[in-house]
């Protein structure tokens, strides 16, 4: 017999608390259509103050708040709004901006983190010279947090960039902030700073905050005057609405501080579900209070069957398809409710598949042919593709990335430095790692990546991410031969805030044998008739997986000098435990502090100072120019240093 229902369909299902009911009963009210309801005015003013805007307007729903906002900004029929193709306004609001407002939607693809590429937004803006045939772009809409991608949070730096783009083209920016307070708490950014570039923001009071009903629109005083007229037109003007607003004020006071606990419960539930064989959760996507989980292909249960089992035991979730479900946490869900859902899911899966059991790092999972749990050793090829929307930590950012397996921090590998990409670098560098069966079978198996900004004196860590291997390698239920995956992951800055996205591709070549054979063919390093790529060869050499053929030619004097220098430098690095960036792409890194300060202390010898940076060692000699190269070089140097009799000679030791 069900004694209590655990409702996880949405955070809109919360019931008014006793404090809310008391506030509603005692609320001072008047006619809000006439603009004289004091409690409504107090709520509107408080929300506007919190979000750093001039004025606010209470409306019955989030759908109406977005509709009014779009119509105020697009006050000429035939205007166009740029918005995400997976956004709430575009998908779940009945096409109101078109059917009621005559506004044309211009959808841009949402990324997995809820963002839209800045370049795609700008490309979608109509050329004013084509106004005779094109609709006129007037507005850009963002959604934060982004519901359809699992409550992902748009970082403040990204919103700033969209705001700058809108201003550049004379457009307005509206933020659908239905769960903006969830985003603020998750990012650790004040909510007024998060919406600073926006011309208008809609805030839902009945979602994360748990009020019975209503939303508030905020913006300038002029904007709100127009919004109030549209609210009346749409039938949203209500009379003694102060009794509802009183409950919303309690929600702001009591429930705002509970959002962090909701997020913690969501992460705990996601981790619990992900440990159940047959279920899969993208843990990296769980940033706030929303979870999507999938039934793994080949499982003996469908989402409909699991849903029915949960309902019979008093747990309600939201089906999203034949193999997908959504869960939303809120302030009326306890830790014991989270445990109940996990236990029920495990119970049902055990009924249909008795071997199903939770997998933890402390215990070995039961053997199952072809499952993730029985993988032999193999070769992981990890391609660091690119990153975008990185924080701008230097004026002219030159970035590189470092990757390693968490069980082997002594084997770090780095991309080359992207000299021109700035906050949107592209590397497309592939690396290989020997991955033992113990690592692959571990629940904690993960890939670590650091993105760094190169500098002459001290490299800066831009962001990092630890990626669970299970999140990007989906193992089929049959015997596994190969597996591959491509994914995007949000980077975390050194202080823990999210900023920027890393794109990574991972492929796994499994083998029941130890490595043998040639790297060109017949080995686990290459499955191609024409041999592996240069980056694969380089990384394999660095990892000791392949020894190149011996060249019997007599080495030149210059190559012997470079070899001797490299030997001494590596011996010194091993003694100091500091990293060396080799000239071969994929050379190993020796400790985690690869992105921290490089040594800039000069070494004495022959009157020169030697500086090592980014794999290059440069000698700088200052003097009269007697040995400064040809006359043309000396003239160029003199022009650079007018007013000085000194000439600087830069000679590269190793490129």
């Amino acid at each position: 017999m069900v004694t209590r229902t655990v409702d996880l369909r949405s955070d809109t299902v919360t019931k008014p608390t006793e404090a809310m009911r008391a506030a509603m009963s005692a609320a001072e009210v008047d006619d809000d259509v006439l603009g004289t309801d004091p409690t409504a005015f107090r709520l509107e003013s408080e929300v506007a103050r919190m979000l750093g805007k001039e004025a606010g307007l209470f409306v019955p729903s989030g759908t109406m708040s977005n509709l009014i906002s779009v119509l105020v900004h697009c006050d000429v029929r035939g205007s166009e709004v740029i918005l995400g193709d997976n956004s709430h306004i575009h998908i779940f609001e009945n096409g109101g901006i078109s059917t009621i407002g005559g506004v044309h939607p211009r959808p841009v693809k949402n990324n997995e983190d809820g963002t839209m590429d800045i370049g795609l937004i700008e490309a979608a803006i109509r050329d004013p010279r084509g106004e005779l045939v094109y609709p006129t772009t007037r507005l850009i809409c963002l959604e934060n947090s982004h519901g359809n991608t699992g409550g992902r949070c748009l970082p403040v730096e990204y919103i700033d960039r969209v705001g700058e783009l809108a201003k550049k083209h004379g457009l307005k920016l509206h933020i659908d902030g239905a769960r903006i307070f969830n985003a603020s708490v998750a990012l650790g950014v004040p909510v007024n700073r998060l919406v600073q570039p926006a011309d208008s923001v809609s805030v839902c009071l009945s979602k994360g905050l748990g009020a019975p009903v209503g939303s508030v629109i905020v913006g300038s005083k002029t904007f709100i005057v127009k919004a109030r007229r549209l609210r009346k037109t749409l039938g949203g003007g209500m009379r003694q609405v102060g009794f509802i607003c009183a409950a919303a004020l309690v929600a702001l006071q009591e429930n705002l501080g509970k959002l962090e606990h909701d997020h913690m419960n969501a992460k705990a539930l996601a981790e619990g579900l992900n440990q159940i064989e047959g279920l899969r959760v993208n843990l990296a996507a769980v940033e706030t209070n929303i979870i999507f989980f999938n039934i793994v292909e080949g499982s003996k249960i469908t989402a409909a069957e699991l849903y029915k089992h949960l309902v019979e035991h008093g747990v309600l979730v939201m089906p999203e398809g034949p193999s997908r479900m959504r869960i939303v946490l809120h302030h009326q869900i306890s830790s014991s409710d989270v445990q109940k859902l996990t236990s029920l899911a495990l119970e049902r899966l055990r009924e249909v598949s008795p071997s199903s059991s939770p997998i933890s790092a402390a215990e070995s999972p039961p053997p199952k042919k072809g499952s993730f749990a029985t993988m032999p050793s193999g070769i992981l090829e990890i391609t660091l593709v690119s990153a975008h929307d990185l924080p701008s930590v230097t004026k002219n950012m030159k970035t590189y990335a470092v990757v390693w397996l968490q069980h082997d921090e002594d084997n770090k590998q780095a991309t080359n430095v992207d000299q021109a990409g700035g906050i949107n670098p592209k590397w497309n560098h592939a690396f290989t790692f020997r991955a033992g069966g113990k690592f692959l079978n571990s629940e904690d198996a993960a890939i670590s990546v650091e993105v760094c900004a190169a500098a002459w004196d001290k490299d800066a860590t831009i962001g990092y991410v630890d990626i669970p291997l299970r999140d990007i390698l989906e193992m089929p239920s049959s015997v596994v031969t190969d597996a591959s995956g491509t994914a995007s992951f949000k980077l975390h800055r050194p202080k823990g805030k999210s900023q920027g996205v890393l794109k990574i591709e991972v492929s796994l070549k499994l083998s029941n044998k130890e490595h043998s054979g040639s790297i060109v063919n017949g080995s686990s390093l290459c499955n191609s008739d024409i041999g592996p790529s240069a980056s694969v060869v380089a990384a394999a050499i660095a990892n000791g997986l392949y020894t190149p053929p011996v060249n019997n030619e007599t080495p030149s004097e210059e190559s012997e000098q470079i070899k001797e220098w490299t030997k001494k430098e590596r011996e010194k690095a091993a003694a100091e435990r500091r990293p060396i960036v080799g000239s071969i792409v994929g050379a190993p890194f020796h400790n985690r502090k690869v992105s921290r300060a490089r040594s800039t202390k000069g070494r004495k010898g022959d009157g020169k100072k030697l500086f090592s940076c980014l794999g290059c060692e440069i000698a700088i000699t200052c003097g009269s120019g007697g040995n400064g190269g040809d006359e043309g070089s000396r003239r160029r140097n003199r022009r650079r240093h007018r007013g000085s009799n000194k000439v600087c000679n830069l000679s590269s030791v190793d490129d």
Side-chain angles (χ1 to χ4, degrees):
M1 179 180 177
V2 176
T3 57
R4 177 178 178 271
T5 298
V6 179
D7 199 336
L8 297 163
R9 292 172 297 168
S10 176
D11 46 3
T12 61
V13 300
T14 54
K15 306 301 187 288
T17 63
E18 290 302 317
M20 290 179 186
R21 294 177 188 273
M24 293 168 72
S25 177
E28 182 183 0
V29 298
D30 203 327
D31 194 320
D32 186 50
V33 175
L34 300 179
T36 54
D37 189 302
T39 308
F41 180 76
R42 187 154 60 95
L43 173 66
E44 292 165 347
S45 300
E46 176 63 12
V47 175
R49 181 195 65 79
M50 295 175 74
L51 273 71
K53 304 302 180 185
E54 290 181 350
L57 179 69
F58 180 84
V59 295
S61 71
T63 294
M64 184 180 284
S65 70
N66 285 328
L67 178 60
I68 289 173
S69 299
V70 172
L71 296 192
V72 170
H73 293 308
C74 300
D75 54 355
V76 178
R77 291 183 67 84
S79 298
E80 187 169 72
V81 55
I82 296 172
L83 74 179
D85 69 337
N86 202 20
S87 65
H88 195 277
I89 295 176
H90 190 55
I91 303 294
F92 291 124
E93 297 184 6
N94 217 280
I97 61 172
S98 298
T99 57
I100 296 174
V103 177
H104 185 261
R106 174 87 155 169
V108 172
K109 181 177 175 56
N110 278 120
N111 297 316
E112 292 181 2
D113 62 354
T115 63
M116 298 176 282
D117 289 344
I118 300 293
L120 294 180
I121 296 176
E122 187 161 26
I125 299 172
R126 301 288 187 179
D127 189 333
R129 293 172 296 181
E131 63 180 358
L132 182 65
V133 292
Y134 296 145
T136 302
T137 307
R138 298 186 187 276
L139 177 66
I140 301 172
C141 288
L142 299 177
E143 181 182 339
N144 201 15
S145 66
H146 199 276
N148 280 357
T149 59
R152 304 295 288 269
C153 302
L154 277 58
V156 65
E157 293 87 352
Y158 173 80
I159 296 172
D160 285 347
R161 290 186 63 201
V162 177
E164 291 167 3
L165 179 66
K167 187 177 295 185
K168 171 184 173 183
H169 291 275
L171 309 178
K172 299 296 184 180
L173 173 62
H174 171 70
I175 295 179
D176 174 3
R179 296 184 178 92
I180 192 67
F181 287 106
N182 289 89
S184 171
V185 170
L187 294 171
V189 177
V191 68
N192 63 327
R193 177 63 186 89
L194 201 54
V195 301
Q196 183 175 306
D199 297 285
S200 61
V201 186
S202 59
V203 181
C204 186
L205 303 168
S206 63
K207 289 187 176 176
L209 294 175
V213 67
S215 290
V216 173
I217 310 168
V218 297
S220 68
K221 290 179 180 178
T222 303
F223 172 87
I224 293 300
V225 168
K226 295 178 181 179
R228 189 178 295 276
R229 290 188 62 198
L230 268 171
R231 183 185 70 172
K232 179 63 175 174
T233 303
L234 296 170
M238 296 182 285
R239 302 297 178 174
Q240 287 74 38
V241 75
F243 78 95
I244 298 176
C245 295
L249 282 166
V250 173
L252 283 171
Q253 294 163 2
E254 293 189 350
N255 295 340
L256 188 56
K258 299 176 182 178
L259 295 180
E260 186 172 6
H261 186 259
D262 296 343
H263 299 173
M264 292 172 60
N265 268 344
K267 288 180 173 61
L269 177 56
E271 290 169 358
L273 292 173
N274 202 48
Q275 289 178 351
I276 299 174
E277 188 176 351
L279 303 183
R280 178 74 72 239
V281 180
N282 180 4
L283 297 178
V286 183
E287 296 180 357
T288 54
N289 62 327
I290 301 176
I291 303 169
F292 286 99
F293 73 91
N294 295 294
I295 311 294
V296 176
E297 184 179 355
S299 298
K300 297 181 180 179
I301 190 172
T302 65
E305 291 170 337
L306 180 56
Y307 173 78
K308 181 180 178 182
H309 177 73
L310 295 174
V311 170
E312 289 173 350
H313 291 80
V315 176
L316 305 180
V317 297
M318 185 74 76
E320 290 282 327
S323 62
R324 185 174 172 86
M325 291 189 189
R326 188 188 79 157
I327 295 170
V328 184
L329 280 292
H330 49 79
H331 74 97
Q332 292 177 339
I333 296 297
S334 65
S335 299
S336 60
D337 294 332
V338 168
Q339 182 59 44
K340 180 179 180 180
L341 172 57
T342 306
S343 300
L344 285 171
L346 177 59
E347 175 186 290
R348 180 57 183 155
L349 285 162
R350 277 178 172 168
E351 288 176 2
V352 298
S353 180
S355 64
S356 296
S357 62
I359 304 171
S360 67
E363 59 183 9
S364 299
K368 181 179 178 182
K369 187 177 181 181
S371 73
F372 201 98
T374 58
M375 283 194 281
S377 61
I379 299 296
L380 270 175
E381 180 169 308
I382 301 171
T383 301
L384 300 182
V385 181
S386 62
H388 63 84
D389 297 325
L390 299 177
S392 183
V393 297
T394 59
K395 185 176 181 181
N396 298 308
M397 280 199 359
K398 298 175 175 60
T399 58
Y400 63 96
V402 186
V403 61
W404 68 95
L405 305 185
Q406 279 197 348
H407 78 297
D408 187 12
E409 293 197 17
D410 287 339
N411 183 19
K412 296 183 178 182
Q413 302 187 45
T415 68
N416 58 347
V417 178
D418 185 327
Q419 301 284 343
I423 63 172
N424 299 301
K426 294 181 180 179
W427 305 294
N428 287 313
H429 258 107
F431 306 99
T432 57
F433 292 87
R434 187 74 175 176
K438 183 178 180 181
F439 170 74
L440 294 176
N441 296 334
S442 170
E443 181 70 18
D444 296 328
I447 298 167
S448 293
V449 181
E450 273 191 16
V451 179
C452 309
W456 284 99
D457 54 348
K458 183 179 180 181
D459 291 1
T461 299
I462 300 175
Y464 66 90
V465 62
D466 295 327
I467 306 168
L469 195 60
R470 290 173 180 263
D471 287 354
I472 45 180
L473 290 180
E474 189 74 23
M475 295 295 103
S477 57
S478 58
V479 177
V480 177
T481 304
D482 291 281
S484 64
T486 303
S488 296
F489 291 93
K490 186 165 289 188
L491 290 164
H492 299 282
R493 300 181 69 175
K495 292 185 179 180
K497 297 179 182 179
S498 298
Q499 170 74 54
V501 175
L502 173 76
K503 292 189 176 182
I504 182 172
E505 296 178 358
V506 179
S507 62
L508 174 64
K509 177 72 176 180
L510 297 176
S511 174
N512 289 311
K513 300 177 181 179
E514 292 299 318
H515 169 69
S516 61
S518 166
I519 194 170
V520 176
N521 53 54
S523 86
S524 59
L525 289 177
C526 181
N527 195 26
S528 168
D529 293 336
I530 62 173
S533 66
S535 59
V536 172
V537 175
I541 294 171
N543 288 325
L545 301 177
Y546 170 64
T547 302
V550 177
N551 187 349
N552 293 322
E553 294 181 8
T554 303
S556 66
E557 182 180 351
E558 180 182 11
S559 66
E560 283 297 303
Q561 290 176 350
I562 294 175
K563 182 178 178 181
E564 182 63 24
W565 169 81
T566 303
K567 179 181 177 182
K568 291 180 180 179
E569 189 68 15
R570 291 191 180 278
E571 288 174 353
K572 183 177 180 181
E576 297 178 357
R577 296 299 293 167
R578 67 176 177 84
I580 292 297
V581 184
S583 59
I584 298 177
V585 173
F589 283 71
H590 299 295
N591 63 28
R592 184 178 180 107
K593 295 183 179 179
V594 60
S595 59
R596 307 301 188 263
R598 304 287 199 274
S599 174
T600 58
K601 295 181 180 179
R603 294 199 301 273
K604 295 181 180 180
D606 301 327
K608 296 183 179 181
K609 294 261 185 179
L610 296 180
F611 294 83
S612 179
C613 180
L614 306 179
C616 299
E617 186 156 298
I618 298 173
I620 301 179
T621 305
C622 292
S624 62
N627 295 318
D630 58 36
E631 183 62 30
S633 297
R634 288 194 291 274
R635 283 198 299 270
R636 286 192 295 271
N637 282 327
R638 289 192 189 100
R639 285 197 295 270
R640 292 193 191 103
H641 300 274
R642 288 183 180 138
S644 172
N645 293 325
K646 293 185 177 181
V647 177
C648 291
N649 173 36
L650 282 76
S651 57
S652 177
V653 175
D654 185 8
D655 203 9

